[in-house]
Amino acid sequence: MSDQPAEQPPYSSRDLEEIPSVEVISRAAVMLLSAGAERLGLADADPETSPHRDLDEARRLITALAGLVTASAEYLGLHAGPLRDGLQSLQKAFREASVVPDPPGQGPGEKYTGPVY
């Protein structure tokens, strides 16, 4: 056995108790938004040649973001609009990146948000 203490998780339950729910939801949404952009290759100069580009992973992240933003919109207040805008930008970027675009209403997250053109 090691004498070193076990690593602590980034948040303890006490820390989470003190964070308002809107902040927890917003942080999760921003993480999904950032990860989706990364998987679309948008962080690189040329998204088409990005080594991080993975449209299957991007689809999952965008769908999760759409579900979270849609389900929690009434609680997000001022944060809802920018998160919806970011989501829609990702959905449009996904559509542009797809070799065979999904039909309207069937793209990532569109079952929650409606068609994105």
Side-chain angles (χ1 to χ4, degrees):
M1 294 209 35
S2 172
D3 291 335
Q4 297 200 357
E7 281 191 41
Q8 295 295 318
Y11 300 106
S12 71
S13 61
R14 169 170 258 149
D15 293 336
L16 291 175
E17 290 173 354
E18 297 171 8
I19 301 172
S21 59
V22 68
E23 188 172 337
V24 173
I25 295 166
S26 296
R27 285 183 187 186
V30 169
M31 180 182 282
L32 289 166
L33 186 65
S34 298
E38 192 71 42
R39 295 298 189 185
L40 287 171
L42 300 178
D44 293 321
D46 183 7
E48 291 184 26
T49 61
S50 171
H52 306 289
R53 189 172 192 168
D54 184 335
L55 296 184
D56 189 45
E57 287 289 313
R59 177 183 294 277
R60 293 174 186 163
L61 292 163
I62 294 167
T63 299
L65 176 61
L68 177 62
V69 170
T70 301
S72 58
E74 67 180 293
Y75 309 113
L76 292 173
L78 299 173
H79 303 281
L83 290 173
R84 274 194 292 254
D85 292 346
L87 168 60
Q88 189 173 61
S89 294
L90 281 185
Q91 289 172 310
K92 288 178 180 178
F94 184 92
R95 186 169 292 285
E96 290 175 13
S98 296
V99 176
V100 180
D102 296 312
Q106 295 184 19
E110 291 183 6
K111 71 180 178 181
Y112 302 112
T113 63
V116 175
Y117 300 97

